[in-house]
Amino acid sequence: LQLGETSRAQALLDRIQLKHANHAHVQSAQIRLQLDQGDIKGSRGTLKELLKTHPDSAEPRILYARLLMKTGNESAAARLLQEAVSVNPHAMGAREALALLLMRLGQASAAIDHLAHLCDGDASHKRYCTMLGEAHLAAAAPQRALGWADTVLKANPKAMGALDLRARSLIALGKV
């Protein structure tokens, strides 16, 4: 799927489904394929089935949120991603997707909690820590944004996202 070979992926998935039709991973792969092919109706049906058979899993909620984002219903997608995080607090993909969606919806303060969990104060997670700085900058806290940029840059001096964040934080602080 990542290579864009949807017909090949579908053929492989068809063979796998013969033996494991109700397996959650097989259903999730089918949904991803349907979404990639723009089959909203088909993916919605498969998702409803997956949610019934795996009500305590974050994965169906993440996929359903993806479907809702494709159809423009971002607020409902945010609610589903929040449910996914509640069901599985360690679902990093759900936290990241939720944080990015909250940022896009102008809710940077809400995104900060999820990004802080992802970053976990560890600069080796430069992507998440830079995103956390971005959220602070969007939430009108440029000093905190600068702190995260500097934390990332201390561990990764060539991190372009952190360099950009640092420059924009300094501008927001009136230091440039």
Side-chain angles (χ1 to χ4, degrees):
L1 280 176
Q2 291 177 342
L3 298 174
E5 297 181 24
T6 55
S7 59
R8 190 168 166 214
Q10 182 65 59
L12 180 60
L13 191 56
D14 289 343
R15 285 197 320 254
I16 293 170
Q17 281 182 319
L18 291 174
K19 291 183 180 181
H20 309 283
N22 292 324
H23 194 277
H25 293 295
V26 174
Q27 289 176 315
S28 293
Q30 179 65 38
I31 293 163
R32 279 191 203 85
L33 183 61
Q34 289 169 323
L35 286 171
D36 287 348
Q37 292 174 334
D39 181 6
I40 301 299
K41 188 176 180 180
S43 60
R44 184 172 277 133
T46 309
L47 272 164
K48 286 181 181 179
E49 185 179 314
L50 185 59
L51 276 167
K52 280 184 206 172
T53 57
H54 297 85
D56 297 330
S57 175
E59 180 71 9
R61 288 168 177 81
I62 295 167
L63 291 169
Y64 214 131
R66 186 173 158 204
L67 179 142
L68 291 169
M69 285 187 278
K70 278 187 175 270
T71 60
N73 194 347
E74 292 182 331
S75 58
R79 284 191 299 275
L80 268 175
L81 289 169
Q82 185 60 58
E83 281 181 29
V85 170
S86 295
V87 167
N88 182 356
H90 303 291
M92 302 306 243
R95 279 194 187 276
E96 180 179 0
L98 178 58
L100 290 170
L101 183 54
L102 290 169
M103 292 283 291
R104 193 165 59 235
L105 293 171
Q107 299 174 26
S109 296
I112 288 171
D113 291 334
H114 296 288
L115 291 167
H117 184 83
L118 290 168
C119 176
D120 198 29
D122 183 352
S124 68
H125 301 305
K126 68 180 181 182
R127 177 177 174 195
Y128 297 137
C129 292
T130 301
M131 288 169 58
L132 178 56
E134 293 286 352
H136 280 295
L137 190 59
Q143 191 64 50
R144 286 186 174 202
L146 180 62
W148 282 109
D150 287 344
T151 297
V152 172
L153 290 168
K154 186 175 181 182
N156 306 282
K158 295 181 181 180
M160 293 305 293
L163 287 167
D164 178 63
L165 174 62
R166 186 172 202 289
R168 288 183 291 112
S169 298
L170 290 169
I171 290 168
L173 289 167
K175 295 185 177 184
V176 177

